[in-house]
Amino acid sequence: MKQYRPSIDELKRRYSRMIAERRIARLREAARPPGAKQVRTPDNSEPWLPHLPKTVDECAWVSNQVAENIAAWKLTYPKIFSSAG
C-alpha cells in the first residue's frame, strides 16, 4: 500500500496553524485576570434520569422515550430522516 505523505505546502499550512493557535492561546491566557479560573461551558442537555439507569426497566424506559421523540421528530421534520415514511 502506498504511504500517504502530505505535500510541503500542506505541512507548511499545518505548522503555521499550530503556531497561530499557540500564539492565540498565549494571548488569551495573558488577557485573563490573574487567579481567574477557567469556566467550563455547561452542558445544554438534561439527563433522562437523575441517576444512571440501574435496572433493565429503567433502560427500557429511556429507550422508549427516545423512540417516541424520534417518531415525533419524523413527523415534524420528515426530510431529515431518510427512513421517514
Side-chain angles (χ1 to χ4, degrees):
M1 176 181 231
K2 184 177 178 184
Q3 184 178 5
Y4 168 75
R5 292 178 187 228
S7 67
I8 296 297
D9 290 334
E10 177 63 24
L11 290 173
K12 287 179 183 178
R13 271 186 294 228
R14 288 181 188 178
Y15 182 74
S16 174
R17 194 177 316 127
M18 180 187 68
I19 297 298
E21 287 171 357
R22 285 182 184 174
R23 181 175 178 267
I24 290 169
R26 265 197 324 268
L27 292 174
R28 189 178 298 129
E29 185 65 33
R32 185 175 296 135
K37 293 182 179 178
Q38 281 188 321
V39 179
R40 182 178 175 269
T41 305
D43 295 333
N44 63 351
S45 62
E46 297 176 12
W48 291 95
L49 295 170
H51 58 279
L52 290 175
K54 296 177 184 165
T55 65
V56 175
D57 290 335
E58 289 179 346
C59 293
W61 180 82
V62 171
S63 176
N64 290 337
Q65 295 298 313
V66 171
E68 289 174 11
N69 283 349
I70 290 173
W73 274 79
K74 282 183 179 181
L75 293 174
T76 309
Y77 303 103
K79 292 182 181 179
I80 293 176
F81 295 93
S82 61
S83 62

